Amino acid sequence: MSQTIQFGQILEMIDYLSLDEQDDLINIIRHRQIEKRREEIAQNIIQARQDYQQGNVFRGDVDDIIAELDND
């Protein structure tokens, strides 16, 4: 986007849409948010797998974690 549109301007523009168009816009934004979150989760999974393969993941129960923290 070459122009910067202020948030207030966007809200004003939305007021000119019909209720059906506003509902469509809400659904589009919601689906985009869901897709972005899925992408974030996928990236987190990739990072977690890399950390696990590199041995950077601590495994144990609560007592093991407390013992590990006490050792540091």
Side-chain angles (χ1 to χ4, degrees), residues 1 3-13:
M1 219 176 180
Q3 294 181 346
T4 302
I5 299 175
Q6 299 296 319
F7 188 72
Q9 290 173 308
I10 294 170
L11 293 177
E12 288 178 24
M13 292 168 68

Side-chain angles (χ1 to χ4, degrees), residues 11-63:
L11 293 177
E12 288 178 24
M13 292 168 68
I14 291 170
D15 286 338
Y16 290 104
L17 299 174
S18 70
L19 289 178
D20 286 339
E21 289 170 326
Q22 289 180 21
D23 286 339
D24 289 342
L25 180 60
I26 290 168
N27 288 327
I28 290 167
I29 293 171
R30 185 171 294 127
H31 284 98
R32 286 182 179 185
Q33 288 176 322
I34 290 168
E35 188 56 37
K36 279 187 178 181
R37 184 65 185 131
R38 282 185 183 142
E39 290 172 9
E40 288 176 4
I41 292 169
Q43 285 300 108
N44 289 340
I45 291 169
I46 290 168
Q47 184 63 50
R49 286 181 177 158
Q50 289 174 350
D51 289 343
Y52 182 77
Q53 290 172 349
Q54 295 171 358
N56 297 332
V57 177
F58 180 82
R59 293 179 59 172
D61 59 18
V62 173
D63 293 329

